[in-house]
Structures are given as C-alpha cells and as structure tokens.
C-alpha cells in the first residue's frame, strides 16, 4: 500500500511540475510595447512620432527628428543632431526591430547633406 501511495504522489508531483512549465509564455521576437499587427507602439499608432527606443537613443528629441538608415545594417543609424549627422550604434534586439519597422516609412529629403558613406542612406522624418 505504501508503494502504491508513493507512486501516486510521485506521479501527481511530476504532473504538477509539468503543468507549471506548460503555463510559461514562450519568448517572442517582438519587443514589449510593440503592437502585434501594426508593429508600432500603440500610442504611436494614433499620433505618430519617434519610437520609444530610438527616442531614448536620440537623447533630446528635436521638433523634427531625422534618422538616416544604412540599407544593409539594422544595428546602427545616423541621427541629425544640431545640424550634423551623428552615428549611433550597438543597437539591441528591440532597437533593431524598431529600425526594421521604420524602414517601411516614406523617405524624406534631408535638410542638410548626408554623411559621406559608400551607400545611399534612407532618411526618415518623424513628425
């Protein structure tokens, strides 16, 4: 009788542990705060503007923020700060996702000449 009781307790204990593991959510590739369908944070879907991760990387966000993107890299971007282009890089996964999302926006003409690099940069304006 003790053996049967011990086996039943072990089976229920393993079942409970397995049930807890099954309830854990799977990791998502979408960073927190991004809408599932639109790809932009919910607040920006209505009013537009700079995504929060890029705004933090920008620092003090001007009234009309311009960002220039390299066509091959999503781990860095050029930010127009005080009339000159500044390269900021080492983006984490969440920032890379934001860069991929803003590539779908319409390009804008830059107010100052672009930095001299070997490719054509895509400039995006956030209003």
């Amino acid at each position: 009788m003790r053996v049967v009781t011990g086996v039943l307790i072990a089976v229920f204990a393993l079942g409970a542990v397995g049930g807890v593991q099954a309830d854990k959510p799977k990791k998502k590739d979408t960073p927190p705060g991004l809408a599932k369908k639109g790809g932009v944070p919910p607040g920006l879907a209505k009013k537009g503007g700079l995504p929060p991760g890029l705004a933090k990387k920008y620092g003090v966000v001007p009234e009309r923020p311009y960002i220039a993107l390299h066509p091959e890299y999503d781990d860095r971007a050029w930010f127009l700060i005080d009339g000159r282009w500044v390269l900021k890089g080492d983006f984490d996964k969440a920032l890379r996702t934001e860069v991929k999302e803003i590539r779908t926006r319409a390009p804008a003409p830059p107010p100052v000449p672009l930095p001299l690099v070997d490719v054509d940069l895509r400039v995006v304006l956030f209003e």
Side-chain angles (χ1 to χ4, degrees):
M1 186 72 165
R2 283 188 193 178
V3 174
V4 173
T5 306
V7 170
L8 287 174
I9 290 173
V11 168
F12 287 125
L14 289 175
V17 170
V20 170
Q21 290 176 350
D23 292 340
K24 290 183 180 178
K26 295 180 182 178
K27 275 194 162 186
K28 299 178 183 177
D29 290 337
T30 306
L34 291 182
K36 290 181 181 178
K37 293 182 181 179
V40 291
L44 297 180
K46 295 178 184 175
K47 62 183 175 186
L50 195 61
L54 288 172
K56 186 175 181 181
K57 200 71 162 172
Y58 212 112
V60 178
V61 180
E63 186 176 318
R64 295 176 52 108
Y66 285 88
I67 297 178
L69 305 170
H70 194 285
E72 297 173 16
Y73 302 112
D74 58 2
D75 64 341
R76 64 193 82 156
W78 293 88
F79 295 83
L80 185 62
I81 300 173
D82 295 329
R84 62 184 184 95
W85 292 101
V86 178
L87 178 63
K88 296 192 179 191
D90 197 28
F91 291 179
D92 61 2
K93 192 173 185 177
L95 278 173
R96 286 178 164 199
T97 303
E98 288 182 1
V99 168
K100 288 176 186 175
E101 293 295 328
I102 66 171
R103 284 192 180 170
T104 61
R105 296 177 66 111
V112 296
L114 289 168
L116 299 174
V117 292
D118 58 344
V119 296
D120 292 330
L121 298 174
R122 180 182 179 88
V123 179
V124 179
L125 169 65
F126 294 90
E127 297 184 275

